[in-house]
């Protein structure tokens, strides 16, 4: 039965026909779209959980955009961690047989990261007349088929998955295009993740095997033993009775539960064209039968990954004008030859939900997911970029800085950065990496606590030693309380959430992670700085070790440039939804960010500009200017950021008598005049001398060509003048 696109199908109108006994069903009576009812979406999801993979014929109404709209009804879209998305789409991966898109190895999608996709949705665009089928296997049935002794062994095993493997050995008949695609794109950033061999499905409770071609070895086993053990377990996955084979037609759609299947694209169609387009939905971190979570051991930038041509990168585009500006950084710093191995070690003070290695709520997360730092180093041979996410937040990150294990601290809060300097850490502040971040006070749903004042004498979770502590102290001070009035318990954000839900604490201060819990009724939010004084929020910065900056000034410039590009993308209101979806990789739903940023411009928090407001905040927090920016070099980096992102400066809302911005330094002729009047923390505006402006259509001033060396930066007002033309 086929229905028209004008008909709104219901769950009762669906026809579900099993294709094989243990896996696979074809669903009819429906046209997929983003407008399906919640009841119908629930019926599709239920069929998926039961049959593991479901098929839909004749979905010719689906475009790229509509495929993404429909996909978002089932979960949060997530792009592939290394492959380029299709131009004009935020998440679609196009698998074109002529460009290396032949997945002829048994695998579960993207298991080389910890929170690999929960669902994949594949649409047939160009299908060969003969060949090109896909085979799926039910990994739940494979686990169930294991004899008891082997089940017990499998449940104790952990396997290391990676996208760096012996490609020639696994695919000896691959074409040169396939091999080149693997080396230049698929393995451009290398990941290694340890997964339990047996995971517990978060929705059904079923146990399934996590195996496939990304497995490199079993933890604690030799290579030869790992190969034999893998072959034994994988043989149960490949038993014919556990599989289903689908003969594709154009406009077919296949949806599979990536947590309970493996699949194999049969490469039997020669040089005939085969094009399919895939969306994937953000998954959870697998949990073993004994409650342990998967963990990404490491990731690093391996080889350059050239992106497909993008119109925004053509000469004359605004992005290229921006790149022209950003390239001035390179001229500021003396060149130094690259070492045999360039290691850039970046630390972030926090994790996502369930300790996912992702940031959220700032431009650091944008730069991380979009791999902007890695892209800046594509011209540096043997460059390796490592990211470490610290559950222990700022204090743990400071320990790694002190041990010489990091070069950059991205998003380090004001309190830990000041504490680190006071204890001898030689770091330099490069840019603001988050300001005005909202603070929320959550309590159990049945709590009698209603205000901040009610906290007196109660047991409250607070992450000590972080910018959360200093922001909390400001809130308490404003409401007539101090730390001594509260029974504080120091817990990291994930532990604080668990303690709050379990009743082990009576309240907890935190961030946007509580918005989703409040929506689900797990907690109640009784206070937010968004509804009080926005200057009470949290602040963070981007820091570099003095040793690294001195040894590698040109690499420091590259990192600054990458993060500023992330800030530029993240501050653009046109990217609002895309930024929220990107942040959702950390495990929070998009709706949480929509609520957190309601009635607030992105640039209000994501600007990297070090303005007077940021300076005053750090001074009040106990850090003098000299402790953060001890020399002219620090001021130069600060000016670089201000020069690159002038559009993020103006327009921040006033907070009472605080006017937070003097965007750029004045021309030399205007130096010496009082810029601000300071009384405590209050900064009042002193009118700036008018600067020259260009009429629309006028050519910009001539700047040095990209990459040209320069002994000094043009006057800041002159560069700002050029920026106004560029944007």
């Amino acid at each position: 039965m086929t229905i028209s696109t004008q008909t709104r199908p219901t769950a009762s109108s669906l026809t579900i026909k099993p294709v094989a006994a243990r896996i696979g069903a074809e669903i009819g009576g429906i046209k997929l779209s983003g407008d399906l009812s919640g009841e119908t979406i629930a019926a599709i999801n239920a069929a998926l959980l039961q049959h593991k993979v479901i098929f839909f014929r004749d979905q010719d109404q689906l475009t790229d955009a509509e495929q993404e709209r429909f996909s978002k009804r089932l979960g949060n879209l997530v792009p592939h961690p290394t492959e380029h998305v299709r131009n004009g789409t935020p998440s679609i991966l196009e698998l074109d047989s002529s460009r290396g898109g032949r997945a002829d190895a048994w695998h579960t999608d993207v298991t080389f990261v910890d929170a690999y996709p929960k669902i994949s949705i594949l649409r047939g665009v160009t299908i060969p007349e003969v060949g090109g089928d896909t085979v799926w296997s039910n990994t739940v049935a494979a686990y169930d088929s294991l004899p008891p002794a082997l089940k017990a062994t499998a449940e104790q095993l952990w396997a290391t998955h990676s996208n760096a493997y012996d490609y020639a050995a696994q695919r000896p008949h691959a074409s040169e295009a396939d091999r080149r695609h693997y080396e230049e794109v698929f393995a451009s950033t290398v990941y290694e993740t340890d997964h339990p061999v047996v995971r517990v499905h978060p929705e059904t409770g079923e146990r399934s095997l996590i195996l496939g071609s990304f497995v490199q070895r079993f933890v604690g086993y030799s290579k030869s033993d790992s190969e034999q053990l893998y072959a034994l377990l994988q043989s149960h996955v490949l038993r014919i009775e556990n599989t289903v084979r689908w003969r594709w037609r154009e406009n077919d759609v296949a949806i599979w539960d990536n947590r309970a299947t493996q699949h194999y694209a049969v490469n039997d169609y020669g040089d005939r064209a085969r094009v399919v387009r895939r969306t994937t939905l953000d998954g959870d971190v697998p949990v073993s039968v004994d409650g342990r979570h998967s963990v990404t051991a490491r990731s690093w930038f391996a080889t350059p990954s050239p992106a497909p041509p993008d119109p925004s990168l053509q000469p004359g585009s605004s992005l290229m004008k921006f790149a022209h500006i950003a390239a001035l950084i390179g001229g500021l710093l003396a060149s130094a030859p690259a070492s045999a191995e360039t290691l850039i070690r970046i630390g972030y003070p926090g994790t996502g939900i369930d300790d996912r290695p992702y940031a959220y709520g700032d431009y650091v997360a944008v730069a991380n997911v979009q791999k902007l730092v890695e892209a800046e180093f594509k011209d540096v041979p043997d460059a390796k970029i490592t990211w470490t996410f610290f559950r222990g937040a700022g204090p743990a990150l400071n320990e790694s800085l002190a041990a010489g294990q990091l070069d950059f601290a991205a998003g380090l809060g004001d309190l830990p950065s000041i504490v680190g300097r006071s204890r001898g850490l030689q770091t330099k502040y490069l840019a603001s990496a988050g300001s005005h971040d909202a603070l929320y006070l959550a309590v159990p749903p049945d709590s009698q606590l209603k205000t901040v004042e009610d906290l007196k004498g109660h047991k409250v979770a607070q992450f000590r030693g972080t910018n959360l502590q200093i922001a909390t102290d400001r809130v308490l001070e404003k409401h007539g309380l101090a730390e001594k009035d509260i029974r504080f318990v120091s817990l990291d954000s994930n532990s604080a959430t668990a303690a709050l839900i379990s009743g082990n604490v009576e309240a907890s201060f935190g961030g946007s992670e509580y918005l989703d819990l409040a929506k689900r009724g797990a907690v109640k939010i009784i206070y937010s700085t968004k509804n009080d004084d926005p200057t009470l929020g949290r602040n963070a910065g981007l820091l570099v070790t003095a040793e690294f900056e001195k040894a590698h000034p040109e690499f420091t410039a590259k990192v600054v440039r990458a993060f500023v590009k992330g800030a530029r993308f993240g501050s653009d209101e046109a990217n609002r939804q895309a930024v929220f979806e990107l942040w959702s990789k950390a495990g929070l739903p998009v709706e949480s960010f929509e609520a957190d940023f309601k009635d607030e411009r992105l640039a209000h928090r994501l600007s990297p500009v070090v303005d007077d407001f940021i300076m005053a905040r750090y001074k009040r927090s106990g850090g003098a200017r000299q402790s953060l920016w001890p020399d002219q070099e620090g001021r130069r980096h600060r000016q670089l950021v201000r020069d690159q992102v002038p559009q993020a400066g103006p327009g921040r809302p006033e907070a009472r008598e605080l006017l937070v911005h003097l965007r750029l330094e004045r021309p030399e002729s205007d130096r010496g005049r009082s810029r601000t009047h300071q009384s405590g923390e209050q900064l009042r505006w002193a009118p700036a001398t008018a600067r020259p402006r260009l009429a629309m259509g006028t050519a910009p001033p001539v700047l040095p060509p990209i990459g040209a060396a320069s002994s000094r930066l043009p006057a800041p007002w002159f560069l700002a003048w050029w920026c106004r033309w560029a944007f």
Side-chain angles (χ1 to χ4, degrees):
M1 172 180 171
T2 302
I3 59 177
S4 69
T5 56
Q6 286 75 33
T7 302
R8 186 180 176 88
T10 63
S12 60
S13 68
L14 302 182
T15 61
I16 302 176
K17 178 183 177 182
V19 180
R22 295 185 180 178
I23 180 174
E26 181 178 345
I27 298 182
I30 188 171
K31 289 288 188 180
L32 302 177
S33 78
D35 298 321
L36 295 175
S37 68
E39 178 190 16
T40 303
I41 292 295
I44 291 173
N45 191 65
L48 177 62
L49 293 176
Q50 178 182 352
H51 297 284
K52 314 309 180 194
V53 57
I54 51 180
F55 307 103
F56 303 81
R57 294 283 195 192
D58 303 318
Q59 301 297 313
D60 54 308
Q61 81 286 352
L62 287 182
T63 60
D64 288 348
E66 193 61 30
Q67 181 179 349
E68 290 183 316
R69 284 189 67 231
F70 165 71
S71 300
K72 286 193 285 187
R73 296 298 306 280
L74 292 168
N76 294 323
L77 288 171
V78 57
H80 193 281
T82 60
E83 296 274 4
H84 303 298
V85 299
R86 176 171 162 77
N87 280 346
T89 71
S91 62
I92 285 184
L93 171 65
E94 181 172 86
L95 299 168
D96 186 336
S97 60
S98 66
R99 298 201 301 265
R102 299 176 187 245
D104 52 342
W106 280 102
H107 67 286
T108 297
D109 287 334
V110 201
T111 57
F112 47 84
V113 302
D114 56 354
Y116 59 84
K118 67 176 183 178
I119 294 173
S120 295
I121 302 168
L122 193 65
R123 173 167 59 100
V125 178
T126 303
I127 303 299
E129 293 182 2
V130 178
D133 298 355
T134 302
V135 186
W136 283 265
S137 176
N138 183 339
T139 56
V140 173
Y143 167 82
D144 289 339
S145 70
L146 298 177
L150 189 53
K151 272 186 183 178
T153 299
E155 289 170 357
Q156 300 302 313
L157 288 175
W158 284 67
T160 299
H161 296 237
S162 178
N163 58 331
Y165 53 85
D166 190 342
Y167 186 82
Q170 285 204 20
R171 300 183 60 193
H173 304 297
S175 67
E176 179 59 32
D178 290 350
R179 284 191 288 270
R180 187 167 58 251
H181 178 87
Y182 167 78
E183 294 170 357
E184 297 179 355
V185 180
F186 191 83
S188 58
T189 300
V190 176
Y191 294 86
E192 283 190 359
T193 296
D194 291 343
H195 288 298
V197 169
V198 180
R199 70 169 293 175
V200 179
H201 196 290
E203 295 184 67
T204 67
E206 296 173 316
R207 297 181 179 185
S208 64
L209 299 176
I210 311 179
L211 295 169
S213 60
F214 296 126
V215 172
Q216 303 304 299
R217 61 189 176 277
F218 291 110
V219 176
Y221 286 77
S222 68
K223 180 178 176 60
S224 60
D225 288 344
S226 293
E227 290 174 349
Q228 295 180 55
L229 191 51
Y230 175 85
L232 175 61
L233 294 170
Q234 183 72 358
S235 68
H236 287 264
V237 175
L238 304 185
R239 289 175 61 175
I240 296 298
E241 55 267 33
N242 291 336
T243 66
V244 63
R245 181 165 180 154
W246 185 251
R247 173 70 188 111
W248 285 94
R249 297 202 302 244
E250 290 186 2
N251 300 315
D252 282 359
V253 171
I255 306 176
W256 62 93
D257 187 339
N258 200 49
R259 300 160 294 187
T261 58
Q262 285 186 35
H263 58 281
Y264 182 103
V266 182
N267 186 5
D268 60 349
Y269 48 93
D271 58 0
R272 301 180 186 89
R274 183 182 187 270
V275 178
V276 290
R277 292 176 187 162
R278 190 184 81 190
T279 51
T280 48
L281 306 182
D282 198 13
D284 58 295
V285 178
V287 179
S288 67
V289 295
D290 58 359
R292 291 181 291 161
H293 290 78
S294 302
V295 60
T296 296
R298 58 178 179 157
S299 64
W300 66 91
F301 184 62
T303 57
S305 175
D310 187 330
S312 66
L313 298 178
Q314 301 309 306
S317 69
S318 68
L319 186 56
M320 282 303 293
K321 294 169 185 172
F322 174 77
H324 199 163
I325 300 168
L328 289 171
I329 295 178
L332 291 174
L333 304 169
S335 298
S339 59
E341 178 178 276
T342 303
L343 185 61
I344 312 297
R345 302 168 299 177
I346 303 170
Y348 184 81
T351 65
I353 303 303
D354 293 328
D355 295 329
R356 298 185 186 193
Y358 291 106
Y360 60 90
D362 53 32
Y363 66 73
V364 176
V366 176
N368 173 245
V369 174
Q370 293 187 338
K371 304 190 183 306
L372 299 180
V373 179
E374 290 83 348
E376 283 295 326
F377 283 84
K378 65 184 180 182
D379 59 342
V380 179
D382 300 318
K384 290 185 179 180
I385 314 298
T386 66
W387 291 79
T388 305
F389 294 82
F390 291 88
R391 181 173 184 171
L397 193 151
N398 273 345
E399 290 180 8
S400 286
L401 284 172
Q405 297 169 345
L406 293 174
D407 305 308
F408 291 87
L412 186 63
D414 46 10
L415 180 59
S417 65
I418 292 168
V419 170
R421 286 287 302 179
S422 70
R423 294 181 178 177
L425 285 182
Q426 297 302 307
T427 55
K428 294 186 178 182
Y429 193 103
L430 301 177
S432 171
S435 60
H436 305 280
D437 286 352
L439 191 68
Y440 297 92
L441 176 58
V443 298
D446 57 352
S447 173
Q448 299 303 306
L449 300 176
K450 293 182 170 42
T451 66
V452 174
E453 289 81 358
D454 292 341
L455 296 179
K456 188 171 183 178
H458 288 274
K459 189 176 181 181
V460 181
Q462 179 201 60
F463 204 169
R464 310 284 289 176
T466 69
N467 64 356
L468 181 65
Q469 179 185 356
I470 205 167
T472 300
D473 289 350
R474 289 170 183 153
V475 170
L476 295 177
E477 180 184 6
K478 178 172 181 181
H479 290 265
L481 298 174
E483 284 195 5
K484 63 182 177 61
D485 299 318
I486 314 292
R487 294 164 54 206
F488 275 120
V489 179
S490 183
L491 296 171
D492 65 73
S493 57
N494 286 326
S495 299
T497 299
L500 183 63
I501 293 175
S502 65
N504 289 324
V505 295
E506 298 170 271
S508 178
F509 283 98
S512 57
E513 63 270 14
Y514 285 127
L515 294 173
D516 180 51
L517 293 173
K519 182 179 179 182
R520 290 188 276 152
V523 303
K524 178 172 59 176
I525 294 175
I526 62 172
Y527 169 82
S528 168
T529 54
K530 287 176 67 70
N531 302 320
D532 190 358
D533 185 342
T535 66
L536 296 174
R538 294 175 290 169
N539 306 291
L542 170 65
L543 283 72
V544 64
T545 65
E547 179 183 5
F548 183 91
E549 195 277 340
K550 182 178 180 180
H552 304 289
E554 74 287 7
F555 295 157
T556 303
K558 284 178 175 288
V559 173
V560 170
R561 183 160 49 225
F563 279 118
V564 169
K565 287 180 179 178
R568 186 179 188 274
F569 181 90
S571 298
D572 189 342
E573 290 299 322
N575 300 328
R576 193 177 187 89
Q577 192 65 23
V579 170
F580 292 163
E581 290 179 358
L582 180 152
W583 288 343
S584 70
K585 288 177 69 68
L588 290 172
V590 168
E591 291 76 15
S592 291
F593 304 119
E594 291 173 342
D596 190 32
F597 280 79
K598 185 179 180 181
D599 301 324
E600 188 174 359
R601 295 173 63 248
L602 292 169
H604 184 223
R605 298 196 206 175
L606 271 65
S607 170
V609 175
V610 183
D611 53 38
D612 294 319
F613 174 78
I614 299 297
M615 297 287 285
R617 272 311 189 190
Y618 275 90
K619 289 180 70 177
R620 185 167 187 252
S621 298
R625 288 187 193 212
Q626 283 303 108
S627 72
L628 288 171
W629 301 287
D631 55 20
Q632 181 64 32
E633 199 69 31
R635 288 191 291 275
R636 182 167 63 181
H637 279 298
R638 199 164 69 250
Q639 185 63 50
L640 287 172
V641 176
R642 298 170 97 178
D643 289 337
Q644 287 188 78
V645 196
Q647 80 280 8
R652 289 190 176 185
E654 298 181 15
R656 307 212 171 159
E657 58 272 305
L658 275 173
L659 271 171
V660 301
H661 265 73
L662 276 174
R663 186 168 45 152
L664 295 164
E665 298 293 336
R666 294 169 183 259
E668 294 292 339
S669 61
D670 197 37
R671 295 290 169 85
R673 300 188 184 186
S674 174
R675 292 175 48 202
T676 58
H677 305 284
Q678 292 185 241
S679 175
E681 196 185 9
Q682 298 180 1
L683 305 176
R684 303 183 186 278
W685 180 262
T689 301
R691 302 184 180 95
R693 291 183 178 272
L694 287 172
M696 292 299 293
T698 307
V702 176
L703 293 178
I706 294 178
S710 173
S711 60
R712 62 184 296 273
L713 186 68
W717 67 266
F718 180 85
L719 190 53
W721 183 23
W722 197 91
C723 289
R724 291 193 188 99
W725 177 87
F727 294 102

